[in-house]
Amino acid sequence: QDAALLDIERIHFDDHQQALVLLNNLDLQSLSPEDKEYHRFLKALLSAYEGNLENAFHSLTAVYTDVQSTRVKSRTLVSLTAMASFLGKWEQGFMYANALQRALANEKDETLMLKGLQGLLIFYLNAEQYDIAKMLAQRIEKHSPADSPYRCLGEVAMMDIAAKEQVSESKEARYQTAKANCAASGSRYYISLLDNAYLTLLIKQNKPQQAYRLSKIMKKRVEDIDVLFLDLAFNASLAQLYYLLGDVEKAKTSATFVLDQLDKREFLQSRIDALLVMVKIAKAQQDFAQALQYAEALSKAESLLREDNVVKQVAYQQANFNLAIKENEIALLDKKNKLLEQQTQLTNEKINVVTLALVVIAICLAALVFWSYRSRKLHLKFKQLAEKDGLTGAFNRSFFIESAQKVLPVQKDLQSDCCLILFDLDHFKQINDTQGHQVGDKLLSATVAAIYEVVNADTLVARMGGEEFAILMPRCDVIHGACVAEQCRKAIEGVRVTHVKSNLTVSASFGVSDTSQVGYNIDNLLAAADLALYKSKQNGRNQVNRYFVE
Ligand SMILES: Nc1nc2c(ncn2[C@@H]2O[C@H](COP(=O)(O)OP(=O)(O)OP(=O)(O)O)[C@@H](O)[C@H]2O)c(=O)[nH]1
């Protein structure tokens, strides 16, 4: 903030005229927007010295409402709080004091914090809440160095409270330390306030000689400062002091000075002190008419003060009550918020649990699908392994026999002929020996593939062992069977295997049997076909022979 503005605020208690001159001479255009607001605040504050505190209070209220800068706003709140107590605006004052207390709870700026405490201290002092005022003074003492004006104000407050409470013990030592601190702070105004508080205490403790010495020291300074409130308080004290010292004329002069001023709320205590002296003097001089007049004025002033005290107490109670309501509301809101938080947390947790459950279910389902797919695949594989020959893909012997045992009785019931072809590759050992086993294997596979080209898909083709194969054909007589066998023989003749060392030809010998001759027994069918096959081998191989009953 602008140094000139800060200076004006610093000196305004001690030299308000100089402060006013400086403020009016400032070039407004050169100020930042925040400093313009600060300038407006200072103008409102200094207007208090024009004699109308009420007007100054209104100006400050307007500043407080209008300004944007939080710094200027909180500074204005401090002055409003203190000023409300001088004007007896207790209801507003407690409201401001509460707002200020709340603001101070979060205040990080040390100067603003001390300023705030200062405003609160003045307010609670005037509100006669001495316990709170003492606490505030202690806080100020803790936060400020010995030579700070804030520290000095704390000392003034403590002395003022001692005077108000009319303590009987000597405060001489305390006064001397306080005075040293206040002198170090360089504030004439605060030193005068301290002196006046101590002066009041000395008078109340009936120590007129000490009080007199002090008053002599004070006089010049008070006159120089020229603040009406201080002038009146000092003269009221002087009136009491001179009366105690028996200097009636001087007591009268001082009291009259007080009573000649406008009858305002902020000067009420000084007025009462002065009137009290005037009543005593008039009585002592046996001027009863005058004494009555002063007594009436005194009673009026005292009743005003009592009224003010009642208003003050009620406002204080009300403020505490409002605060309690607000605290309850805040506590209630806190609880509601906590409840909402817990509900949201609960909902979130529920969502998490549901999501987790869904994920787990999805994983389980996927695992289940995968597992059933795998097990189906495995099952098929096992089934295949159990039913088929691994090399050629034809059915194996056991499956062939099993199937034949199921098929044949059905065919028998249907009176449908079936025939069985048995064939064996020729000179296969030789092929193995000359071409190698791998070629032999290839040949076996190619043979089965060639057979499947000839027969129907529902025909049972099986590898019975080694290079021997069987074909079972339902709804087929021996002539048709021999025909199929012939086709198969030719197909095998056409089988070619790649990557062989020399030209490789392959053939097979066939034997065909049928149910019309040997019945529907698989063993008989096989045996009969085997005989026919044997015949083919005997007759030079690569041929088909049917079984005939001899
Ligand atoms: N590469 C191969 N050879 C096999 C397999 N099973 C049996 N063999 C062979 O097939 C040959 C059968 O030989 P043999 O029973 O003497 O009959 P062959 O040489 O075909 O002679 P003929 O039947 O009289 O024409 C043997 O050498 C077996 O080792 C097989 O899975 N792969």
Side-chain angles (χ1 to χ4, degrees), residues 424-425 427-429 432 437 441 463 466-467 537 541:
D424 185 289
L425 295 181
H427 303 302
F428 194 60
K429 183 176 181 313
N432 263 338
H437 254 75
D441 282 355
R463 184 177 176 199
E467 81 292 20
K537 290 274 184 195
R541 298 183 172 81

Side-chain angles (χ1 to χ4, degrees), residues 347-545:
T347 317
N348 284 344
E349 274 169 16
K350 264 189 196 166
I351 290 171
N352 285 346
V353 167
V354 170
T355 315
L356 198 72
L358 284 175
V359 168
V360 168
I361 289 170
I363 290 172
C364 286
L365 274 176
L368 209 68
V369 168
F370 181 69
W371 177 77
S372 68
Y373 167 77
R374 284 252 317 168
S375 65
R376 186 161 169 72
K377 249 183 106 171
L378 275 174
H379 173 73
L380 285 173
K381 200 161 181 163
F382 283 135
K383 198 170 168 236
Q384 220 173 22
L385 282 174
E387 294 174 352
K388 293 202 166 168
D389 166 50
L391 178 66
T392 61
F395 290 108
N396 58 31
R397 182 186 181 92
S398 61
F399 183 77
F400 179 80
I401 305 284
E402 215 177 289
S403 303
Q405 281 166 347
K406 283 177 195 160
V407 169
L408 291 169
V410 177
Q411 295 299 313
K412 185 182 176 185
D413 288 348
L414 294 169
Q415 292 182 340
S416 154
D417 280 340
C418 300
C419 68
L420 186 126
I421 303 169
L422 197 66
F423 67 92
D424 185 289
L425 295 181
D426 298 332
H427 303 302
F428 194 60
K429 183 176 181 313
Q430 202 181 331
I431 295 171
N432 263 338
D433 292 347
T434 54
Q435 307 291 334
H437 254 75
Q438 267 186 332
V439 172
D441 282 355
K442 279 185 186 171
L443 207 60
L444 288 169
S445 298
T447 302
V448 172
I451 298 300
Y452 273 118
E453 291 286 314
V454 176
V455 301
N456 296 329
D458 62 348
T459 306
L460 268 176
V461 178
R463 184 177 176 199
M464 302 304 279
E467 81 292 20
E468 191 180 68
F469 298 88
I471 303 167
L472 180 68
M473 294 194 296
R475 297 177 302 280
C476 168
D477 58 19
V478 75
I479 299 167
H480 182 62
C483 242
V484 173
E486 184 55 29
Q487 285 170 10
C488 291
R489 191 192 62 76
K490 283 186 179 149
I492 291 169
E493 257 184 346
V495 165
R496 293 288 174 270
V497 177
T498 50
H499 309 300
V500 289
K501 287 174 188 164
S502 60
N503 240 1
L504 178 69
T505 53
V506 66
S507 67
S509 303
F510 288 76
V512 183
S513 64
D514 78 320
T515 49
S516 66
Q517 294 188 80
V518 296
Y520 291 87
N521 181 293
I522 185 64
D523 293 333
N524 293 345
L525 281 168
L526 278 169
D530 197 37
L531 281 173
L533 166 63
Y534 180 70
K535 207 182 210 177
S536 297
K537 290 274 184 195
Q538 289 295 308
N539 291 348
R541 298 183 172 81
N542 194 18
Q543 57 187 270
V544 178
N545 271 286

